[in-house]
Amino acid sequence: MIVAAIALNTFREAVRDKILYVLLAFGTLMILVSRAIGWVSFGGEDKIMTDIGLTAIWMFSGMVSIFVGTGLIYKEIDKRTIYTILAKPAERWHFLLGKYLGLALTTLVNLLVLAAIFVGYLWLCRAPVTLALGEALWLTFVEMLVVTAVAIFFSSASTPILSAIFTTIVFFAGQLTKWVVDLGAVLKDSHPWAGKVLYALYLVFPNLHNFNIRREAVLATQDRLQMAIPANELVACTVYGLAYTAALLLAAHLVFRRRNF
Amino acid sequence: MQGTANSPEVAQWVERVARNASGERLAQWGYTLYFVLFAVGVALLLAFSFLPDERTPDAADTASRRWLRRLSRARWYLAHSGAIILALLCCISQQTGVDERRGFIADQDKRYEKAIRQLAARKDKQEALRAEYLYIPQGNALTYMSLGNTSIAADYVWLLSLQYVSNSFRRGHKFDMLLRFYDTVLDLDPHWVEAAINAGKILSALEPNRYAVEKFYTNAILKNPDDWRLPYEAGRLFVVPPSNLALQADYSRRAVAWFNGVITRLKRRLEKTPASSPVAAGTTRQIKEIEDLVARLAVESGYYDAADELLWKAAHDETLPKAMRNAAATEWLNAHSLVIRTALQRAVDEHKKRTGAWPADLRPALGALKSVKMVPFDENGWPVDAFGFRIEYDPASGKVSSRGVNAKRTLQAASIMNALLDLYRSNNGGEAPRDLAVLQTFVRRFYGNPANPPGPAVLDALGADLNTIVSPLGTPWEYDPKAGKVVLPGYCNAKVLFRNARKIVGDEE
């Protein structure tokens, strides 16, 4: 109950944030412009349009998670409003989880709005729409759950600017962890230990590339197929995302419970 | 200027002058507007400096004083507006200066190309090509740069390649890097088949070497082994006759090989599709159409037996449209006649090898026809080709020939001959050539220009030496100088020649 109250309040606070609307407007603009970019092409107009739309949703949802998420806890501490919350029968984990769920709800609403505009626009332009797009959007949401947890983790320990920088680094690096293993293979002869270290890093770092099935979804949609990846793979990616989110929130709680305001 | 008052050159010149004049008028209006705005900006600033800063009303004020006080309240608005206008004018002035020095994107592109040309002149061509290559990031680099969003990176390279093609026309048709662009697109999005198909089409339009384009398709097919569209396009590459007719048989063989691959893939797809679905009907139709194409190509590539079987099947397929069955039957007459002729020729050659002499007639070779289905014989026991003509044999040279096959070729060659006679007339004031030797001189001179080589149809009809004297029948063309047309023997008539095809499809009158 307490968690739900904090979450709803966080959501209300986030939707009042101007940055959310700026990002939403840019995301919408990018989706709408995608058709014009498709026109320039010789063939593949629908594919280019779908590609740009999915990438825009991913990019702007990521920005919402990073820029809105990293300021939330700090703002409460800075304005001293956290005292009024913690003075009530609310534990610190209530506060942290509430903040996280509120932000996740904001991300979900943002993603749903952009997705509705995207799918509506595809439909208007008579481009193919299948459930494969839903798969890609679902995994984008799961990815945002992880990114939001990363933002909350840094936000519970640091200032908003540093948190934004760290979360952005994790967001970027998380997309490329797959290639870290390849780099280890290249360095295997010259630095035999490098491969092991890089592999360990690969396992520890969130592998956000798992959630990127945009290429598969676009191709499946062009071929009028309903599934971009098999259902068991979709479930595996979702479980991976939720487990990583839980780990990050626990780590955030560990830091936050020892923090003095 | 050589043109008359109404000539297109004059019209173009007038249009150009008018366009320049309108451009100049626009520029003059622009300057006027610029100075008007400048004056307004300065006036607003002057008004700001001359208006007294008197806001507090006084009971003793006169009417004019009261107006001045009211205006005084807007003093800062005037200052801001004037300053904004002047600042914007300053920006415009600087921007036009920068544009003049740096130019727009097209000018920048031209400067870049100039630099590349200078590099090519100074160093070697490879160096210039390498410098140009820096323009396109590699597939791997783009994967990292796009944070793993390879699909959108492929879109970017694809759009870049289209820009490169359009710029290349301006550069004088240099497409050195096109293949690199397309390979990058394939690396980034290996399953984007539509792009691979379009890339192949662009390449085949710009790259005269079909085998180089085929390599690109092979690369794409390796990445999409189950997709039928790519081998289909690869096959289509070789359906267009080559400019070098010596390659025709190889072209057809390659096309047949690719199309057979398409049929296999389509059949595999058909097995997975429910029989009642519209996709299944479409796929079946596609298979039949490609089989028909394969059959025709098989004739050109020398696979007469395969063509014979496929065309016979197509000619009797009730599900195919009548026109398609008719065409298949016509081609079957040719293919089947070629099967008969080839079997007999082989037997005659073997006889010569065995005895050292050509047989006096075809009797010793007739045994070879046992392996051929449906060989008609005339009342004298002499083999007849599918068109209904006796198989011809020359004991002096040992050459077996089918009159029907030759007549079909002659019919096609005659239409080319008549077109060349028309061309001669239009180049010689409507006069027809006196004889075909005159036409031959004209044709050889006409196609002797390297910029105007003969097309595949002309080469096929006249041969590489552009011979307008001898017809495919092996005899000289009969020519009517009054009509300016070649005259064909009575049997070289489509109605007579293809009467057996009409019997096959049940279309006999």
Side-chain angles (χ1 to χ4, degrees), chain B residues 136-214:
Chain B
I136 328 167
Q138 295 231 332
N140 258 351
L142 274 170
T143 305
Y144 302 132
M145 280 156 68
S146 64
L147 298 176
N149 288 292
T150 49
S151 184
I152 203 159
D155 297 349
Y156 163 72
V157 180
W158 173 246
L159 293 174
L160 213 59
S161 76
L162 294 178
Q163 190 190 6
Y164 175 76
V165 170
S166 61
N167 280 345
S168 294
F169 277 107
R170 199 158 47 77
R171 272 206 301 267
H173 296 254
K174 286 182 181 163
F175 302 100
D176 310 324
M177 291 191 296
L178 201 53
L179 200 59
R180 160 92 190 270
F181 271 111
Y182 295 150
D183 282 338
T184 308
V185 173
L186 259 187
D187 285 345
L188 288 167
D189 201 345
H191 305 303
W192 188 10
V193 175
E194 196 186 352
I197 290 171
N198 286 333
K201 280 180 185 163
I202 295 173
L203 270 177
S204 60
L206 304 175
E207 168 64 66
N209 183 359
R210 302 265 137 184
Y211 299 103
V213 186
E214 189 190 24

